[in-house]
């Protein structure tokens, strides 16, 4: 597509790609989880691959997979996917001023690539569409930078997940997919050293206390992480000396 070729040399393209890179691990894990869930639900490798490439929407894929496997009427499947993805109508209306100078083909291609996080990053950085063509191209370059990292992260995670299902015991089922989803959310949230410390401490504590009954190891893990992070946070606060004590 021409739009991807002439914007990739714009400095804002690299900036958008860089900003999206911090979210890429979470997107990768979410794609992995979605792919495992689809194949383990019985959709099959080839159908899951085709759905990943054409639908490119995790929530819609997860929502419609059980309906497809239950042989629900096509209108039910389409209605479900439409309802789940109604937010993209809002995204499209908001982004319309940013890209109305493009051809229909380029707008459709950009719409296919644009995801939740790329939309959020772009409108956060550029709350208003530029009035000039140069400004619009800079904003669009940033959007496309985020889009490509989003697409590559999702597709790589999805196809690795599809490939891994041959080695994942079927009895793990959707419970294992749920664990992968939590890993994805954790990857997105852990964006500084304090959160990383909390994640590491809670993981170690949960494993160390695994023998406790009633899943109490989870409670122990949370308590250890919270206490240690509060202690670490207290060391960051500057000590304020009350000068009135010296008078």
């Amino acid at each position: 597509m021409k739009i991807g070729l002439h914007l990739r040399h714009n400095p804002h393209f690299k900036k958008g790609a860089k900003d999206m890179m911090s979210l890429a691990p979470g997107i990768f894990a979410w794609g992995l989880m979605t792919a495992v869930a689809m194949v383990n639900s019985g959709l099959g490798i080839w159908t899951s691959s085709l759905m990943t490439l054409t639908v490119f929407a995790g929530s819609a894929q997860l929502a419609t997979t059980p309906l497809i496997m239950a042989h629900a009427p096509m209108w039910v499947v389409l209605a479900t996917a439409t309802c789940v993805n109604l937010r993209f109508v809002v995204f499209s209306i908001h982004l319309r001023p940013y890209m109305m100078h493009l051809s229909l083909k380029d707008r459709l291609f950009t719409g296919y690539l644009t995801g939740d996080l790329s939309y959020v990053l772009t409108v956060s950085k550029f709350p208003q569409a530029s009035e000039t063509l140069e400004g619009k191209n800079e904003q669009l370059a940033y959007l496309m930078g985020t889009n490509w990292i989003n697409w590559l992260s999702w597709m790589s995670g999805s196809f690795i997940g599809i490939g891994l299902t041959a080695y994942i015991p079927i009895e793990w089922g959707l419970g294992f997919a749920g664990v992968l989803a939590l890993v994805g959310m954790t990857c997105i949230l852990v964006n500084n050293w304090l959160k990383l410390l909390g994640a590491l401490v809670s993981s170690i504590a949960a494993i160390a206390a695994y023998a406790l009954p009633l899943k109490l190891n989870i409670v122990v893990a949370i308590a250890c992480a919270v206490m240690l992070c509060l202690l670490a946070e207290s060391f960051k606060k500057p000590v304020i000396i009350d000068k009135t004590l010296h008078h």
Side-chain angles (χ1 to χ4, degrees):
M1 283 289 182
K2 182 177 68 174
I3 184 175
L5 294 176
H6 85 270
L7 289 177
R8 63 189 175 91
H9 299 296
N10 191 302
H12 285 77
F13 184 95
K14 293 182 179 179
K15 174 62 177 172
K18 182 180 178 181
D19 289 348
M20 181 60 80
M21 283 300 294
S22 62
L23 303 174
I27 298 169
F28 176 91
W30 181 245
L32 184 72
M33 182 280 296
T34 301
V36 171
M38 287 194 302
V39 178
N40 278 352
S41 295
L43 203 57
I45 291 177
W46 293 110
T47 305
S48 297
S49 299
L50 180 63
M51 193 175 187
T52 296
L53 286 169
T54 55
V55 178
F56 183 38
S59 54
Q61 289 170 225
L62 289 174
T64 56
T65 294
L67 297 175
I68 295 172
M69 296 310 303
H71 303 290
M74 183 56 65
W75 71 266
V76 174
V77 176
L78 293 176
T80 301
T82 300
C83 290
V84 170
N85 283 339
L86 278 177
R87 66 191 185 280
F88 286 104
V89 176
V90 179
F91 296 171
S92 298
I93 294 172
H94 193 176
L95 289 175
R96 186 175 184 274
Y98 293 77
M99 57 183 67
M100 278 309 295
H101 63 292
L102 300 175
S103 66
L104 176 61
K105 180 176 65 175
D106 284 340
R107 293 200 304 274
L108 291 174
F109 181 63
T110 305
Y112 163 75
L113 286 178
T114 301
D116 299 78
L117 294 175
S118 52
Y119 163 79
V120 170
L121 287 176
T122 300
V123 298
S124 297
K125 187 173 181 63
F126 305 105
Q128 299 293 332
S130 175
E131 298 295 331
T132 66
L133 181 59
E134 181 181 1
K136 287 182 183 295
N137 283 333
E138 290 178 348
Q139 294 173 343
L140 192 57
Y142 182 90
L143 174 63
M144 293 302 291
T146 63
N147 279 345
W148 279 115
I149 296 300
N150 180 61
W151 188 86
L152 290 172
S153 301
W154 176 266
M155 291 300 168
S156 57
S158 295
F159 282 103
I160 289 175
I162 290 172
L164 284 177
T165 52
Y167 304 97
I168 297 175
I170 192 66
E171 59 268 18
W172 291 9
L174 294 180
F176 178 69
V179 172
L180 292 179
L182 292 176
V183 170
M185 288 186 286
T186 301
C187 290
I188 293 176
L189 294 173
V190 177
N191 53 14
N192 60 48
W193 73 270
L194 197 60
K195 293 178 182 178
L196 178 61
L197 176 65
L200 291 175
V201 170
S202 61
S203 299
I204 295 171
I207 294 172
Y210 184 75
L212 292 176
L214 304 175
K215 303 290 184 181
L216 289 176
N217 62 315
I218 304 299
V219 178
V220 172
I222 294 171
C224 290
V226 170
M227 286 189 294
L228 187 59
C229 287
L230 286 175
L231 182 62
E233 184 71 21
S234 67
F235 283 113
K236 293 171 58 180
K237 296 179 181 179
V239 178
I240 301 175
I241 301 175
D242 190 350
K243 294 183 180 180
T244 60
L245 297 177
H246 297 280
H247 296 285

